[in-house]
Amino acid sequence: MNCIMHNCGRGYDATMIALEKGIVWGADVVMMQEPVVEEEGYNISHPGYRLIRGGRITTAIRRDTHLEFSEVDMGGDGDVQVFDIKYPSGREMRLVNVYDQLRQVEGVRSQGRSAQTARWREIMGRNKILLGEDWNAHSDRWDPECPPKRDEVFLTNLMDEYDLTDVTDGEATHTSTTNGKISRSSIDFFITKAEMADNLEISTDLATTSDHVIVCAHLRWDEGEGVKVSRKVTGWDIDGLKLEEEKENYDKAEKYWKGKSSERPVLTEKSSGEDLQKEAEWIQRNFVNHLNRCCKKVKVCTRSKRW
């Protein structure tokens, strides 16, 4: 399954660019946050996609997709759309489009985020699930260059409770300007169960009129379609990171990992097997994410060790 996610910033051009990029990328689904709507004087449609509108989000389903999409109402006051997807092989998964942001009343932001009121325990009732969103949450957990932490509690709790991991290509996804100063952050990304993350390839596209990039995802999950799936394993050019011209990036990556790992508990001979298992899973999940952010990905022989 190919998927595109984009916050269109209520721009007509950005909305249409997202749909056109979907055609170019062969996307089965385009998840848009803040697309332009009829109330703003626009009649958005596309010959290649069937648009399913929520509140501040819209999900576009490719008309000739081989996948079956069924929308499931899970609350969220129009800021959460949940789709159960069935492959021709019979395998199933769940896709969630979310816009987690304060609502505005007469130009003034209220205190509530509708997306967080959705029935998340029910939403997370599937083993195979992929969530794409403009999270509007800042944390060095998914953004090493993040400004001070802000609005990240809901997302971090969700990820911890359901063992979810963020999947990014390390690029900033949002650009803002305050008092002439430009800042970049990563707030648009996919999260999924750890066992699905290895099958998710992410890239970003800057060609948009919005202040958010387009995030593209290719999920190599279902092998029952008769499509040959590559058995190559993704690795990282760690030696390349140690080159003299990469010294600044290497030092930054080393400092970030030391800071993140120093927060973890120290295991001793009194630690239980469960403690050891949890720590091993944490190291694998977070170190893979860390390498994805700071190292160039390479393809290695399948006979190589996993690590």
Side-chain angles (χ1 to χ4, degrees):
M1 180 185 72
N2 289 329
C3 179
I4 280 181
M5 175 179 64
H6 185 40
N7 184 314
C8 304
R10 298 175 67 177
Y12 175 84
D13 290 341
T15 302
M16 297 309 296
I17 287 172
L19 294 170
E20 284 301 313
K21 286 290 184 181
I23 295 296
V24 172
W25 279 74
D28 297 283
V29 57
V30 178
M31 300 192 296
M32 297 179 286
Q33 298 86 36
E34 289 196 298
V36 293
V37 294
E38 283 78 358
E39 288 78 3
E40 297 166 331
Y42 296 96
N43 181 20
I44 299 297
S45 63
H46 195 282
Y49 288 97
R50 173 172 59 94
L51 273 59
I52 302 175
R53 294 173 173 83
R56 294 184 291 177
I57 57 178
T58 292
T59 301
I61 309 298
R62 194 179 183 98
R63 295 186 188 277
D64 61 353
T65 181
H66 66 294
L67 307 174
E68 295 181 18
F69 285 79
S70 301
E71 187 174 13
V72 185
D73 183 7
M74 292 290 184
D77 194 23
D79 285 349
V80 176
Q81 288 180 308
V82 181
F83 296 90
D84 286 339
I85 301 175
K86 186 174 182 179
Y87 285 72
S89 63
R91 298 180 72 178
E92 298 179 348
M93 65 167 289
R94 174 165 285 175
L95 182 69
V96 187
N97 181 9
V98 190
Y99 181 51
D100 186 16
Q101 178 60 291
L102 295 171
R103 287 191 175 274
Q104 293 190 9
V105 179
E106 297 181 351
V108 179
R109 286 185 176 178
S110 66
Q111 296 302 309
R113 293 195 181 208
S114 302
Q116 298 183 14
T117 67
R119 301 193 299 276
W120 282 101
R121 187 172 297 278
E122 294 180 43
I123 291 174
M124 299 306 303
R126 290 291 185 95
N127 290 326
K128 304 296 184 182
I129 187 168
L130 178 65
L131 303 93
E133 180 180 342
D134 174 5
W135 300 98
N136 285 295
H138 300 271
S139 171
D140 56 6
R141 177 167 178 169
W142 48 80
D143 182 6
E145 304 298 326
C146 87
K149 289 184 178 182
R150 173 163 53 90
D151 301 322
E152 87 290 354
V153 175
F154 168 75
L155 179 55
T156 54
N157 288 344
L158 185 73
M159 294 171 69
D160 289 340
E161 182 174 358
Y162 296 103
D163 192 26
L164 302 170
T165 183
D166 62 281
V167 187
T168 77
D169 66 352
E171 297 292 336
T173 63
H174 177 249
T175 303
S176 61
T177 303
T178 304
N179 297 326
K181 183 178 180 181
I182 298 176
S183 62
R184 296 178 174 84
S185 56
S186 295
I187 57 176
D188 313 83
F189 51 87
F190 288 91
I191 61 174
T192 186
K193 296 291 182 71
E195 60 267 25
M196 289 183 67
D198 289 341
N199 297 323
L200 198 63
E201 297 178 357
I202 300 294
S203 61
T204 52
D205 193 323
L206 301 177
T208 174
T209 56
S210 171
D211 54 356
H212 294 255
V213 305
I214 297 174
V215 183
C216 310
H218 174 52
L219 179 61
R220 297 178 293 101
W221 171 62
D222 189 88
E223 301 180 21
E225 313 306 320
V227 178
K228 185 177 180 180
V229 178
S230 172
R231 293 295 180 181
K232 291 183 178 179
V233 179
T234 299
W236 302 272
D237 184 16
I238 297 177
D239 288 337
L241 188 64
K242 294 181 179 180
L243 296 176
E244 184 63 30
E245 57 267 29
E246 292 292 330
K247 186 177 187 306
E248 182 178 350
N249 289 334
Y250 179 83
D251 292 342
K252 186 183 297 183
E254 184 179 38
K255 180 179 179 181
Y256 169 77
W257 179 253
K258 284 182 178 179
K260 191 175 184 68
S261 59
S262 65
E263 301 173 357
R264 302 299 297 175
V266 177
L267 299 181
T268 68
E269 64 274 8
K270 296 181 180 179
S271 300
S272 67
E274 183 180 357
D275 292 336
L276 181 61
Q277 179 66 25
K278 287 183 177 180
E279 189 64 13
E281 291 174 355
W282 183 92
I283 292 173
Q284 179 181 19
R285 179 171 65 252
N286 286 275
F287 199 61
V288 165
N289 287 341
H290 180 57
L291 289 173
N292 285 339
R293 293 187 183 101
C294 66
C295 291
K296 178 182 177 181
K297 294 180 181 179
V298 296
K299 295 293 184 179
V300 298
C301 173
T302 55
R303 293 188 295 275
S304 299
K305 302 297 185 186
R306 182 179 180 185
W307 43 266

